[in-house]
Amino acid sequence: MIVIDDQDPTPTFEQLRSQLADQIRTGVLPGATRLPSVRQLAGDLGLAPGTVARAYATLESEGLVESSRASGTRVREDQAVTDATRLAARRFVRALREQAVSVDDAISAVRAEWAAGS
Amino acid sequence: MTLTWVVPLALLIVVAVVTLQQLRRSYRGATAVTPAGTSLSNERQPEARSVLLLTRSRNLLAVGAAIGVGVIGFSVSAGRPDLYGLPAMLTPGVAAIAALLVVSLVRAAPSARRDGVRSADLTPRRPWSYGPRWAFTLPLVGAGAVLAFAVVTGLTSSRSQDGHWRSISVRPESSAGPYPGWYYAVPLMAVTVLLVGATLFALGRNASAPRPSDTLLDTADRQARARTTQMIMKLSSGAMFSYFGGVLFFAGVTTRNAARAWDPLTSGFERLQPYFAIGLVELFAGLAFGLLGLVLVLLSVVDALGLPPSLARSIAPARADANRLRR
């Protein structure tokens, strides 16, 4: 399921791309899953077909999906993060929730630590 | 000879009974009492009613287009006897194509909201997503039968006195017409190919049309698409079987007539076998296929004008409220 919220300041293209990427990386959309056509998804979400096509193209350039004329757009195999990664993320989230840290602050902290290479 | 009329009469009665049963079932579905907890909230009623109204209007328009094309086709055929019934033979197929084009091109879902929060399912909708796989083979079987039979009648036809390939000769001194030779077979094959194309186009459009933005209307939307798919398959197969039956019937009558010759020695009709038997088989098979086609077309009209049960249930409270207000 994809949800687009016009009240969200994030552009609709980014909302769509990030939700699809998250679902692929967390295994909700397993490898070889066929995604709906650009026309179907654009019609259902009330978006311009170009927005959906751009999101699919970006996901393809990130290596998460592959497109072909014959079989449409499919999720590439082995794109989901490992169980160990999910477990580590769960522990991290639980620890920050206990300290009432917001998701934005948590992500900022991860980015900062990642950049610092610790 | 009596059997020739008893069989179609019996089949017509069967057609009438089946159609009435379907209409009653459809009516019961449309006026079903709302079970507790299945109704939509008041704010979602307008969208449900809008889906219903648009679907019904589009289907009515499709039925109207088919009837209009039918009237024109048969009028042209009656007004142009020099065409030897060709327009009448093509009319069921062309009328079905007209109805399928209306179903394909007229939008039956309200436009998706472009503000607020909206959601979409990531399951691809395919033309064959809304019916059992075997149902999709029905028009293909019908088309295959029409094309194969058209080639057979074309190859077995002979030229009539006016030079058209619309006669059959089982022996040099005995020929009969109108036989569905190349004169009828070539346009018939063209209409059949167009009808298959129109069917695939309509199925694709039905599957890819946008969903209602409200997820609570998912079940109703799925049922409306399944109902439209059924309607398309029945209309397409019904039209094909109708004109296939007609062609088979006329081929049978003509073959049977060509296989009968007056024998002055016995003062009776001589029956040239196996052509006479083939003609009889074609005649009765034609009646059966024609009536099967008619039943399918009538059932498609019932599907077109009936309501998907969940949609009927979901808007039932609003109707009850409106009735209370009227009183």
Side-chain angles (χ1 to χ4, degrees):
Chain A
M1 182 71 78
I2 295 287
V3 179
I4 298 291
D5 185 357
D6 281 322
Q7 305 302 317
D8 189 330
T10 312
T12 49
F13 155 74
E14 183 51 29
Q15 288 184 45
L16 178 59
R17 189 209 62 78
S18 61
Q19 285 180 51
L20 284 169
D22 287 349
Q23 291 189 30
I24 292 168
R25 289 196 177 112
T26 55
V28 174
L29 290 172
T33 300
R34 188 178 178 144
L35 296 181
S37 67
V38 167
R39 195 173 157 219
Q40 178 188 320
L41 198 52
D44 289 354
L45 291 172
L47 299 175
T51 306
V52 178
R54 193 155 68 96
Y56 278 9
T58 308
L59 291 170
E60 193 171 6
S61 67
E62 290 171 356
L64 294 174
V65 300
E66 54 195 353
S67 299
S68 75
R69 272 182 185 273
S71 62
T73 304
R74 286 181 186 276
V75 175
R76 287 184 65 184
E77 297 287 355
D78 302 325
Q79 296 304 310
V81 294
T82 60
D83 289 347
T85 309
R86 296 280 314 263
L87 188 63
R90 201 170 299 140
R91 283 187 189 136
F92 173 72
V93 167
R94 198 179 301 141
L96 292 191
R97 271 193 173 150
E98 281 170 8
Q99 296 170 43
V101 176
S102 72
V103 65
D104 288 341
D105 289 346
I107 290 169
S108 296
V110 169
R111 284 214 177 97
E113 289 300 320
W114 200 275
S118 62
Chain B
M1 193 64 194
T2 316
L3 196 65
T4 314
W5 292 108
V6 169
V7 173
L9 194 67
L11 289 171
L12 265 178
I13 291 168
V14 171
V15 171
V17 169
V18 168
T19 309
L20 280 172
Q21 282 285 95
Q22 285 293 322
L23 276 170
R24 280 182 59 195
R25 201 174 297 167
S26 174
Y27 180 77
R28 273 205 300 272
T31 55
V33 178
T34 310
T38 60
S39 62
L40 291 170
S41 63
N42 281 341
E43 66 207 43
R44 292 183 175 101
Q45 294 279 350
E47 193 168 2
R49 278 200 296 277
S50 171
V51 170
L52 168 66
L53 190 68
L54 286 167
T55 307
R56 267 191 165 173
S57 306
R58 181 201 62 187
N59 292 350
L60 263 175
L61 196 64
V63 171
I67 291 171
V69 170
V71 168
I72 292 170
F74 286 114
S75 303
V76 168
S77 194
R80 292 285 306 273
D82 55 315
L83 294 175
Y84 308 108
L86 181 62
M89 193 197 66
L90 300 178
T91 294
V94 178
I97 290 171
L100 290 172
L101 285 179
V102 170
V103 169
S104 307
L105 300 175
V106 176
R107 193 185 175 94
S111 301
R113 286 199 312 251
R114 286 183 182 272
D115 58 339
V117 179
R118 61 256 187 213
S119 61
D121 187 11
L122 286 174
T123 310
R125 295 193 295 270
R126 316 286 295 155
W128 49 88
S129 300
Y130 296 97
R133 286 285 167 99
W134 62 264
F136 297 97
T137 59
L138 205 59
L140 292 176
V141 168
V146 171
L147 295 176
F149 190 69
V151 170
V152 168
T153 55
L155 291 173
T156 53
S157 66
S158 58
R159 281 184 191 275
S160 59
Q161 286 176 341
D162 53 20
H164 294 305
W165 290 89
R166 51 179 210 89
S167 286
I168 181 169
S169 297
V170 295
R171 52 186 170 183
E173 71 277 15
S174 172
S175 70
Y179 182 74
W182 293 121
Y183 176 76
Y184 298 100
V186 173
L188 195 72
M189 287 193 279
V191 166
T192 303
V193 170
L194 286 175
L195 185 52
V196 170
T199 305
L200 293 174
F201 183 54
L203 287 173
R205 293 282 292 193
N206 175 53
S208 66
R211 268 180 4 150
S213 49
D214 197 325
T215 50
L216 287 176
L217 286 170
D218 275 358
T219 308
D221 174 63
R222 217 172 11 257
Q223 287 205 357
R225 284 179 207 267
R227 177 67 71 107
T228 303
T229 300
Q230 276 181 31
M231 184 192 86
I232 292 168
M233 306 311 286
K234 286 174 189 167
L235 175 64
S236 168
S237 321
M240 275 181 210
F241 284 128
S242 294
Y243 63 72
F244 177 55
V247 168
L248 206 55
F249 178 80
F250 278 104
V253 170
T254 318
T255 308
R256 194 190 62 162
N257 289 345
R260 277 165 37 140
W262 179 254
D263 186 356
L265 292 176
T266 58
S267 295
F269 281 103
E270 182 199 359
R271 292 172 177 178
L272 190 66
Q273 298 293 4
Y275 303 105
F276 188 83
I278 290 171
L280 269 185
V281 170
E282 285 176 337
L283 191 153
F284 284 107
L287 280 174
F289 274 110
L291 285 163
L292 170 67
L294 195 63
V295 170
L296 287 171
V297 169
L298 287 173
L299 291 179
S300 79
V301 174
V302 172
D303 280 344
L305 304 181
L307 279 178
S310 79
L311 200 55
R313 278 198 297 273
S314 69
I315 63 159
R319 282 185 180 172
D321 290 346
N323 288 339
R324 262 199 303 278
L325 284 173
R326 245 178 258 139
R327 281 188 220 122

